[in-house]
Amino acid sequence: MNKKRQAIWDKSGGKCWYCGCDLPEKGWHADHFEPIQRNWWDGTCQHPERDTEENKVPACASCNLNKHSMPLESWRKIIQGYVFSLNRDSTQYRLAKRYGLIQETDMKVTFWFEENGY
């Protein structure tokens, strides 16, 4: 791992900044905590000043791809709405809930870095 990636990894000791899972040595993402909102057509970005090592945090592929280019609070709202969407759209989810395999909570979405004082 090069020094820049190692410094990003070290910010969390190899944990995903968002969900807290253990990151593999290869395959983890360096996420822009404050999104740069890249324009994939011409390579420019809306906030080039945010494209710094200080603004990058380690993330698992799943969290980084799901967060996309959203600000943190927008992403939190999206995650918080997943239970509603599952109840509305997924027969399998509703059936699993009916049989007691799923118990819903009203917990607020809290990210790993928040729980760990970052």
Side-chain angles (χ1 to χ4, degrees):
M1 195 177 321
N2 71 39
K3 288 183 181 185
K4 287 182 180 182
R5 281 187 66 79
Q6 186 67 52
I8 296 166
W9 168 280
D10 290 344
K11 288 181 180 182
S12 65
K15 300 275 189 193
C16 174
W17 198 250
Y18 304 110
C19 73
C21 73
D22 292 324
L23 296 173
E25 268 191 51
K26 294 182 179 183
W28 62 275
H29 294 196
D31 179 54
H32 291 92
F33 184 72
E34 293 291 333
I36 63 172
Q37 296 173 320
R38 194 177 308 276
N39 179 343
W40 292 107
W41 302 112
D42 65 9
T44 61
C45 61
Q46 193 171 23
H47 296 284
E49 73 279 3
R50 295 179 183 170
D51 193 17
T52 64
E53 300 308 308
E54 295 78 28
N55 187 40
K56 293 179 183 174
V57 295
C60 68
S62 179
C63 282
N64 188 42
L65 293 171
N66 191 263
K67 181 177 177 267
H68 194 30
S69 62
M70 285 184 266
L72 191 67
E73 291 310 313
S74 296
W75 187 40
R76 188 188 316 266
K77 287 178 186 175
I78 295 288
I79 296 169
Q80 198 73 48
Y82 284 167
V83 172
F84 173 80
S85 298
L86 286 165
N87 275 302
R88 182 191 64 208
D89 301 334
S90 175
T91 303
Q92 292 90 348
Y93 180 85
R94 290 191 305 271
L95 191 59
K97 187 171 84 170
R98 185 177 304 147
Y99 282 92
L101 300 173
I102 295 169
Q103 292 185 354
E104 296 175 358
T105 69
D106 288 333
M107 290 176 49
K108 176 184 173 220
V109 173
T110 305
F111 297 108
W112 178 89
F113 76 91
E114 295 169 323
E115 292 176 347
N116 288 278
Y118 289 91

